[in-house]
Structures are given as C-alpha cells and as structure tokens.
Amino acid sequence: MLISAARAQTLKLANQRAAAVPHSPVLIEGGEAFTLDLARAVSDPALDLANPMKGPFRALPLPEHDWPQTALEIARRAGILPAFLIDPDPADQPVMVTAADLAAFSAPDTLRIAARTRLPTAAAEQAEIAIFRSPADMREHAALIIGRQSSDATPLVRVHSECLTGDVFGSLKCDCGPQLDAALHVFAQEADRGGYGVVLYLRQEGRGIGLVNKLRAYRLQEQGHDTVDANRRLGLPDEARDFPIAGRMLSLLGIPRIKLLTNNPAKLSALQEQGIEIVERVPLNTGNNPHNARYLATKRDRSGHLLP
C-alpha cells in the first residue's frame, strides 16, 4: 500500500523512515494481504478511534521511479485521500501515467482567458469578470476587476482561494468570508478614487486539498488537532495551493505592478517569482472571532503569516 510519510508517522511507522519528508511517499506491506476494510482504516484517520490497532506493517524500498510521488500528487489534486492499494498482478491492461503528464497539468503556457464580460456587483456597479481555463485542468479560476482597469494605475489585488464554507455559508471557523468582503469594500473605495482593484479567485478549496478532505480535517480539529496536524494526519500537505497561477493570471490581464492585500508571505514570493512587481503589501485585519482564534494563531505561529 502506498501512503504518505505524514500518514506513516501517524501509524507509528516513522521509525522505519526517520528522515522522511512529511509528504513523500512510503510503501508498506502488511503481515497479511490488505482487505478493503483494512485499507480504509489505514488511509482514513476518521476511523483511527474505531480501529486503534493496525498492523504489523513494514516499510518497503521504493522503486527507482517517480511514479509514487506522482500518484500522491494526483490524489491531492483529485481531492481524495493519498492512499493506493497496489496489486503486483493487475487484472487489466495498465494505463501508463508519468510525472510528465502531471507537469502538463500545471504548464504555465496553457492558461487562457476563456471569457470576459461586464458584471455589476453589490460592491461596485463598475466591474468586470474574467474566467481563466487550461485545457488540462477542470478548475476555472476567476478575476473580478472592480473599477476601470488602466495602465496608468497600480491596482490593489487580493489573491483569494475558494472557501465554500466561509465565502458562501459564513463559517466562523476561518476568516475567509470577512477577508473577501473587506477586499471588495476596499476595492470599491479605490474605484471611487479613480483606481481599481482585482480579486483573483482561485479554485483551490481547503488550501488545495479539496472540500471533502477539508471537512475531514475539520472533524480532526474537533478532536483537538490544529489545522496543520489535521492535514498531516490525513497524509496531506498543510499548504498545497498554487499561488504562481495568480501571477500568470495577472500577466494575462496585462497587470505588471500591484499593491497586494495579504498577510501571507508565500503569496508575495510566488507573485514576485512570476515577474509581478509588488510595490506595497497592504495588511488585512478582519474576521477574528472566538471560533477561529486557534486557527488564526496556527496561521501565524506555524504557517508564517504576518501580523496585520
């Protein structure tokens, strides 16, 4: 069975791979052949309390190929748990998937503006929306441009990752909804002064692990784990978003210089690496409440977010 090193640590297999990178692949073998029920118990931490004893297992040497890491990354992008049962004698003709196929999924030159039109909004009537699509990716990212885009103005920009629970349902477990609302309000004020703002809305739910896995992580948080440890118990990265794609979106919009509305230094570096000049970082300070106090502290203490 192929799992991630982070999940292997949860199963007390870390001593067999002491130097493991948390999200590197680990190949394990059971004392008996894996059943589907045992495989589920190994892969899903929601079943840990009901199945506290697993094993024995032993770690096997990984093959000298890059397919195990590719498999884990494909699982993450598909929003499923990173665990694979491996049959040494496949019943059907195997279909070859290589790391090159995965690289094509993120190729920068495949991103295009698929559609762009005027979109009056509650925040500002003078607004446009542009939708970005890549032929190798089912996700459709969006840019909402508030105010009139001008080559003479340096826009305020918010890179915002999709959060169904916060943006739509008003969840108090995070600060996503209030941050998006605050950005729209600030951009409307900027438009009133003759400038403009851009929200880059990235379809990367749950910091890139998908909605189902995000809710699995929420259940683990209810058991006392913080956001970082919950993701790792799932065998998933605690940060898996693709921020460079925001830089490519800005380039396609013809925006080379921005003022970035963020507390996350990873967004700063990712955009700069894509050739976007950041003339100012504008901090955000909104959305704090008793339900997300630990979440915000974890972002600050373990994920390196800056104080507003």
Side-chain angles (χ1 to χ4, degrees), residues 63 74 76 85 95 109 123 171 181 185 239 243 256 266 278 291:
I74 288 173
R76 181 194 68 77
L85 278 175
V95 177
D109 57 353
S171 168
D181 291 342
H185 178 70
E239 177 56 88
F243 291 136
I278 300 174
H291 297 277

Side-chain angles (χ1 to χ4, degrees), residues 130-216:
I131 302 299
F132 297 77
R133 179 186 286 170
S134 166
D137 191 345
M138 293 297 292
R139 297 172 300 176
E140 296 173 325
H141 305 290
L144 182 67
I145 304 159
I146 292 180
R148 192 175 301 279
Q149 183 174 348
S150 166
S151 58
D152 298 328
T154 300
L156 274 168
V157 171
R158 168 71 183 161
V159 177
H160 190 91
S161 296
E162 177 182 30
C163 178
L164 176 71
T165 51
D167 298 342
V168 178
F169 298 134
S171 168
L172 298 177
K173 288 179 68 69
C174 64
D175 56 347
C176 301
Q179 286 190 336
L180 179 59
D181 291 342
L184 292 172
H185 178 70
V186 169
F187 294 170
Q189 292 179 327
E190 187 78 358
D192 289 341
R193 293 191 290 264
Y196 72 103
V198 181
V199 175
L200 301 178
Y201 197 82
L202 308 183
R203 304 296 302 278
Q204 302 182 138
E205 180 74 58
R207 294 187 184 178
I209 66 173
L211 182 58
V212 171
N213 283 330
K214 171 183 168 178
L215 298 188
R216 286 175 173 145

Side-chain angles (χ1 to χ4, degrees), residues 8-166:
Q9 291 171 349
T10 299
L11 299 172
K12 309 303 182 187
L13 289 172
N15 62 322
Q16 299 184 42
R17 193 176 171 81
V21 176
H23 310 300
S24 62
V26 172
L27 192 61
I28 63 172
E29 181 181 54
E32 299 179 359
F34 279 102
T35 64
L36 190 56
D37 286 342
L38 176 58
R40 287 196 182 104
V42 168
S43 61
D44 189 350
L47 304 175
D48 283 349
L49 295 179
N51 301 275
M53 300 300 293
K54 306 180 184 72
F57 304 117
R58 66 187 180 97
L60 300 176
L62 284 168
E64 295 296 326
H65 300 286
D66 52 13
W67 68 261
Q69 185 68 56
T70 301
L72 293 187
E73 178 62 11
I74 288 173
R76 181 194 68 77
R77 295 193 184 204
I80 61 176
L81 290 170
F84 294 85
L85 278 175
I86 298 175
D87 187 346
D89 300 308
D92 300 317
Q93 184 68 26
V95 177
M96 184 62 67
V97 178
T98 69
D101 297 317
L102 185 63
F105 215 55
S106 304
D109 57 353
T110 62
L111 191 68
R112 296 287 185 271
I113 296 178
R116 182 170 179 171
T117 187
R118 180 174 173 270
L119 183 71
T121 67
E125 293 186 9
Q126 176 65 47
E128 283 186 285
I129 188 168
I131 302 299
F132 297 77
R133 179 186 286 170
S134 166
D137 191 345
M138 293 297 292
R139 297 172 300 176
E140 296 173 325
H141 305 290
L144 182 67
I145 304 159
I146 292 180
R148 192 175 301 279
Q149 183 174 348
S150 166
S151 58
D152 298 328
T154 300
L156 274 168
V157 171
R158 168 71 183 161
V159 177
H160 190 91
S161 296
E162 177 182 30
C163 178
L164 176 71
T165 51

